[in-house]
Amino acid sequence: MLLTLLREKWPVGSKAKFKIIADRVKADHTYLAHICAAAKLDDLDDEDSLKQEETRQLSLSLAFYKANRRRFANSSAVQGLIKG
């Protein structure tokens, strides 16, 4: 199973409570977790098949990433995936 952890964009102004909470626990960022579909891999040592399956899982999740684009930080890797 592929689990993506993506940095969350912090709102500004009256919605800046994420920053206040993060400051309280001394965190630099908050993250959003997204679980992709389960995948079957025969050989965990085969890096090519791992990369291919990871790419496939990310492409299956592309609709979710596009719909939630504003929730992710601009520096998050998902922004490049959406644009590409």
Side-chain angles (χ1 to χ4, degrees), residues 44-79:
L44 293 176
D45 294 327
D46 184 7
E47 288 186 27
D48 289 334
S49 67
L50 285 173
K51 183 175 173 116
Q52 185 177 30
E53 186 59 29
E54 180 183 67
T55 302
R56 188 177 80 75
Q57 292 294 326
L58 288 173
S59 67
L60 290 172
S61 298
L62 193 56
F64 169 79
Y65 296 139
K66 284 183 178 182
N68 293 284
R69 148 185 320 189
R70 291 190 175 139
R71 293 179 64 193
F72 307 119
N74 291 337
S75 61
S76 178
V78 76
Q79 298 294 353

Side-chain angles (χ1 to χ4, degrees), residues 8 11 13 23-24 34-36 51 54 66 73 78-79 83:
E8 186 171 25
D23 286 344
R24 191 177 315 141
H34 178 256
I35 300 172
C36 297
K51 183 175 173 116
E54 180 183 67
K66 284 183 178 182
V78 76
Q79 298 294 353
K83 292 176 186 174

